[in-house]
Amino acid sequence: TCDLTLNLLRSYRRGKFDECVKWQNESLQSLPNYVYAVHNRALCFLALKRVEDAKRDYERTLELAPTFA
């Protein structure tokens, strides 16, 4: 929803990537195959140096949308 997206954007701009992961997780509870949420969470995991989590989400992104760029 709009509030969720606004919270995510605010957190991302402030560099609060742990909060971004929280917002992406909330989004994925409603829409588990939402490729943009999976991909954005991977970006946040990478910023947090959670490489294995990022890798898992990048792989999931490609499963959901093989041509995602």
Side-chain angles (χ1 to χ4, degrees), residues 3 5-6 8 11-12 19 23 26 39 42 57-59 63 66 68:
D3 288 339
T5 302
L6 288 174
L8 171 66
S11 297
Y12 192 86
E19 286 182 17
W23 297 119
E26 190 171 320
H39 180 261
D57 275 359
Y58 283 130
E59 289 171 350
E63 286 174 14
F68 191 84

Side-chain angles (χ1 to χ4, degrees), residues 31-60:
L31 299 166
N33 294 324
Y34 185 46
V35 69
Y36 291 101
V38 176
H39 180 261
N40 290 339
R41 187 173 65 180
L43 294 172
C44 295
F45 281 143
L46 200 55
L48 292 166
K49 298 184 180 4
R50 292 174 57 180
V51 176
E52 289 303 314
D53 291 323
K55 180 181 174 190
R56 182 193 69 234
D57 275 359
Y58 283 130
E59 289 171 350
R60 179 73 178 134

